[in-house]
Amino acid sequence: ALACNNIGTVYNHQGNYAKALEYHLKALNIWEKTLGPEHPYVAASYNNIGYVYYSQGECEKAMEYYNKALGILEKVFGIEHPDVALSYNNIGCVYDYQEDYANALEYYNKALDIRENALEKKHPDIAQSYNNIGGVYNSQGDYAKAMEYHYMAYNIWEKTYGKEHKDVALACNNIGTMYNHQGNYAKALEYHLK
């Protein structure tokens, strides 16, 4: 099952969604048969299948699988577990993609609350939440709030990973974009060039 899961993930990254689904569904079938329908690995398979659908822009199907994962994880771990936060984050991503920013913020903030209570203050998953929340504020045109959250993400990622990591580059790009929106082109260039 683990090999099927990993193969599905590779196919998804390559954009071969049919093969990704095939392998993630195989993994799901094996996990359900061997571990039962309410095991965290089953939830992980549901999240992976949801991500394949999300990658294709099939939001209803993605939401269906993300909610199945959430139901299992809440039952197994309770509502304050980092894996539950991941499901909230994934659901927030679907709402964000659909430009339903109120629900996106609700779910991103649920994920952030859990992560801030369950993880170290400088954990990369907290930075991911900050970055996602900043992205919503950017989409809503609230560049000051977006900047605040993108800086918080940047500070965590840079301290955790160093300057050469892809997440640090993402945060620099986001900060540069905020400066660009505000007309501060010198600072925008500074961050885009980092």
Side-chain angles (χ1 to χ4, degrees):
L2 187 57
C4 289
N5 176 68
N6 293 340
I7 292 166
T9 299
V10 170
Y11 278 128
N12 194 50
H13 288 151
Q14 292 177 329
N16 188 339
Y17 303 121
K19 281 290 198 186
L21 274 176
E22 175 187 335
Y23 279 91
H24 283 308
L25 287 167
K26 282 182 185 180
L28 174 63
N29 187 38
I30 293 167
W31 291 134
E32 284 181 325
K33 284 181 181 175
T34 58
L35 302 172
E38 293 185 345
H39 192 278
Y41 287 177
V42 172
S45 286
Y46 283 143
N47 264 326
N48 291 337
I49 293 165
Y51 186 66
V52 173
Y53 284 119
Y54 173 76
S55 297
Q56 297 176 88
E58 293 187 41
C59 294
E60 277 186 41
K61 294 291 274 185
M63 195 69 86
E64 173 189 339
Y65 281 93
Y66 286 155
N67 277 305
K68 285 181 180 184
L70 177 62
I72 293 169
L73 294 170
E74 285 179 334
K75 193 175 217 178
V76 172
F77 294 128
I79 60 171
E80 295 296 323
H81 192 275
D83 287 357
V84 172
L86 176 62
S87 284
Y88 284 147
N89 181 76
N90 292 345
I91 292 167
C93 287
V94 174
Y95 283 126
D96 198 352
Y97 180 84
Q98 293 175 317
E99 299 180 4
D100 182 347
Y101 300 126
N103 278 316
L105 277 176
E106 177 187 341
Y107 279 86
Y108 287 154
N109 278 305
K110 284 181 178 184
L112 177 61
D113 288 344
I114 293 169
R115 288 170 170 173
E116 285 180 331
N117 288 320
L119 304 171
E120 296 175 22
K121 294 294 179 210
K122 299 296 180 186
H123 194 282
D125 288 355
I126 292 173
Q128 179 195 43
S129 288
Y130 289 152
N131 185 68
N132 291 347
I133 292 167
V136 172
Y137 284 126
N138 174 44
S139 296
Q140 292 178 317
D142 189 341
Y143 303 128
K145 269 194 171 174
M147 181 79 80
E148 176 187 340
Y149 280 93
H150 287 312
Y151 262 116
M152 290 190 293
Y154 169 78
N155 287 330
I156 292 172
W157 281 334
E158 198 218 10
K159 285 179 182 139
T160 304
Y161 297 135
K163 294 180 188 221
E164 301 298 318
H165 192 271
K166 66 179 179 62
D167 289 342
V168 175
L170 173 64
C172 286
N173 182 66
N174 291 339
I175 292 167
T177 300
M178 294 306 95
Y179 279 123
N180 188 51
H181 286 312
Q182 294 173 338
N184 189 339
Y185 304 120
K187 286 295 261 185
L189 279 173
E190 176 188 334
Y191 277 89
H192 284 308
L193 291 169
K194 279 190 176 193

